[in-house]
Amino acid sequence: MSSTSVLSAAPDGWSAAARPEPPWHERWMVRHREDSIGPDAIDIAIAVGCFVLFTGPLLVGMTRGIGSTAEIAGFGVAAAAPLVVRRRWPLAVLVAVTVVLCAASLADVRFTPWVSNTGPVIAVAVLTLADRRPRRESLIATGIALVALCAAGSYAFHAYSDQDQDFVQPLIAAPAWLLGDMFRTRREYQRSLAEQERQHAAETERRIRAEERLRVSRDVHDLISHTLSMVAVRSGVARLLIDENPEEAHRALTTIETASRSALRELRGVLTQFREPGWNDELAEPGLAEVAGLVDGLRHDGLVVEYQVIGVPGEYPALLQTTVYRIVQEALTNVVKHAHTEHARVEIRHAPAELTAVITDDGSPDGPPAEIDTSGSGLGLAGMRERVSLFGGRFAAGPRATGGFAVTATFPITEEDHA
């Protein structure tokens, strides 16, 4: 399966089977609903818990407060109720809680068992604000709230003889703000990491698609160049022999038809892989076994192509075999188009540590030594060199001292390649 199909099968970087489970402590944690910032069971439980645990004992007579039962219950409810919407309006909740606490001090009402109406209400409000809003906003709002609470407590301490104030609210609010700010910072960091991973996945997909387009363009170039060159040579033979040797002309035309159909079928397979990433590339691409048929298809009157295999073939990766086939195909196409020779040779050498393909021709007996053709697009030799470089191999192409041209591609073979 191609890299594109793997990526599209798991767009978030994990397949369904390989997706890791969260740690045990996260699986047992009760979380807020991510699709809503309205009140949920956690918010309601926090509000009810603050009222029951810190105002309830006064209402049932377990301990004494200051003020009537109705006043104690009213201020207790007024302080805890805003926590139900703490995540939706965190700043408004902090303001409401601060106003209630200041009003209780100024009204000489104590609705918790401790002085200053100490309890978790202010801590929850400050923590939520620091968690939900920017740092500067939450810090300023918390500071103003604490100044107001201290001012109200100081007035109540001097105005009411039964009011004891210890100004403990700042000691509760400070760690709550630090904890909420830490939660916010951690969440923003996780979002940043997720965004980076998303961008990396998108960049990887773009790179894979670009490599796939480059591979398809190379394959299309090799197919069209090879087939048209063979068709041109065979059609020329048919034209010259159609009157003198109709049987040979008929064979040439048959070869043209067979090669054209084969090229169209292979081209259709290449384009199908590009359009449908799930297509199995290994079943569609030619390999070393098809090199012999490639050589046979290029033999014609006046051109003799020898094919020799040295060594024992190994179980090479399909992509490596296809690369060798394409290099042999392109090199022989160049022989037909540019060499004007009567003899060419293809040699595949298998060794424990490397695989080598050598394509040579004798050149024209009457012409000058062969040189690299630079009049075309340059995709032939450049494409072969790039194919070899992808495997870390060596590529050489140039005139031979004895005449003709030689192309040599050597690929290193490791134990993993054999496997």
Side-chain angles (χ1 to χ4, degrees), residues 233-253 300-302:
V233 172
R234 290 290 186 167
S235 61
V237 172
R239 180 178 57 83
L240 295 175
L241 300 178
I242 192 169
D243 294 328
E244 300 178 2
N245 193 342
E247 293 183 1
E248 184 63 27
H250 177 67
R251 284 196 297 269
L253 292 175
H300 57 81
D301 291 346

Side-chain angles (χ1 to χ4, degrees), residues 43-388:
D43 297 325
I44 297 174
I46 291 176
V48 173
C50 289
F51 176 80
V52 171
L53 295 178
F54 292 88
T55 302
L58 279 70
L59 298 178
V60 298
M62 295 179 60
T63 184
R64 294 183 58 185
I66 299 178
S68 64
T69 301
E71 290 175 334
I72 293 174
F75 275 104
V77 172
L83 300 183
V84 174
V85 293
R86 64 188 181 88
R87 290 185 298 124
R88 188 162 201 168
W89 297 299
L91 181 59
V93 168
L94 178 61
V95 172
V97 169
T98 302
V99 169
V100 171
L101 293 177
C102 290
S105 297
L106 297 177
D108 192 20
V109 175
R110 192 180 71 202
F111 57 91
T112 69
W114 299 283
V115 298
S116 301
N117 288 312
T118 302
V121 175
I122 188 66
V124 173
V126 170
L127 185 149
T128 304
L129 180 65
D131 177 53
R132 293 285 169 171
R133 303 301 299 167
R135 177 176 297 168
R136 179 181 177 87
E137 176 183 333
S138 65
L139 190 60
I140 293 176
T142 301
I144 294 175
L146 293 179
V147 169
L149 289 173
C150 291
S154 178
Y155 173 82
F157 179 76
H158 294 88
Y160 306 108
S161 59
D162 57 349
Q163 280 271 11
D164 293 329
Q165 300 293 329
D166 54 11
F167 304 102
V168 74
Q169 302 289 12
L171 301 180
I172 297 175
W177 183 89
L178 292 175
L179 186 62
D181 187 70
M182 182 186 68
F183 288 158
R184 180 190 56 79
T185 303
R186 181 174 180 270
R187 185 172 61 254
E188 291 179 352
Y189 176 70
Q190 290 176 338
R191 289 176 179 173
S192 176
L193 288 181
E195 178 63 19
Q196 293 179 9
E197 292 178 358
R198 187 193 65 78
Q199 294 178 357
H200 177 70
E203 182 63 28
T204 300
E205 183 174 0
R206 285 193 294 268
R207 178 180 56 80
I208 291 174
R209 291 186 181 278
E211 293 177 353
E212 187 72 6
R213 285 193 294 269
L214 180 59
R215 183 187 69 83
V216 170
S217 66
R218 289 173 178 168
D219 289 345
V220 171
H221 168 267
D222 294 343
L223 281 171
I224 294 178
S225 177
H226 166 73
T227 304
L228 291 182
S229 298
M230 191 277 297
V231 168
V233 172
R234 290 290 186 167
S235 61
V237 172
R239 180 178 57 83
L240 295 175
L241 300 178
I242 192 169
D243 294 328
E244 300 178 2
N245 193 342
E247 293 183 1
E248 184 63 27
H250 177 67
R251 284 196 297 269
L253 292 175
T254 302
T255 303
I256 291 175
E257 180 184 7
T258 302
S260 300
R261 293 182 183 276
S262 176
L264 287 175
R265 183 170 58 254
E266 191 170 352
L267 181 60
R268 189 179 298 111
V270 171
L271 296 179
T272 299
Q273 296 171 35
F274 187 64
R275 291 194 304 267
E276 302 176 9
W279 190 270
N280 192 334
D281 294 11
E282 297 183 3
L283 296 178
E285 293 288 352
L288 292 177
E290 285 73 30
V291 174
L294 174 67
V295 172
D296 291 338
L298 279 175
R299 292 191 178 112
H300 57 81
D301 291 346
L303 177 62
V304 178
V305 183
E306 297 182 8
Y307 177 54
Q308 184 177 10
V309 178
I310 300 176
V312 180
E315 294 294 332
Y316 306 120
L319 182 58
L320 176 59
Q321 296 190 43
T322 300
T323 299
V324 175
Y325 177 91
R326 295 301 185 197
I327 289 176
V328 173
Q329 183 184 54
E330 180 64 25
L332 290 178
T333 300
N334 290 339
V335 170
V336 174
K337 292 168 59 177
H338 307 299
H340 308 295
T341 183
E342 298 178 352
H343 184 266
R345 178 182 178 86
V346 176
E347 188 176 288
I348 305 296
R349 303 171 185 167
H350 300 278
E354 62 182 20
L355 171 64
T356 304
V358 181
I359 304 93
T360 59
D361 66 81
D362 294 342
S364 176
D366 301 327
E371 296 182 358
I372 298 177
D373 178 73
T374 58
S375 60
S377 64
L379 292 177
L381 292 178
M384 287 189 281
R385 183 174 287 106
E386 291 177 2
R387 288 179 185 272
V388 176

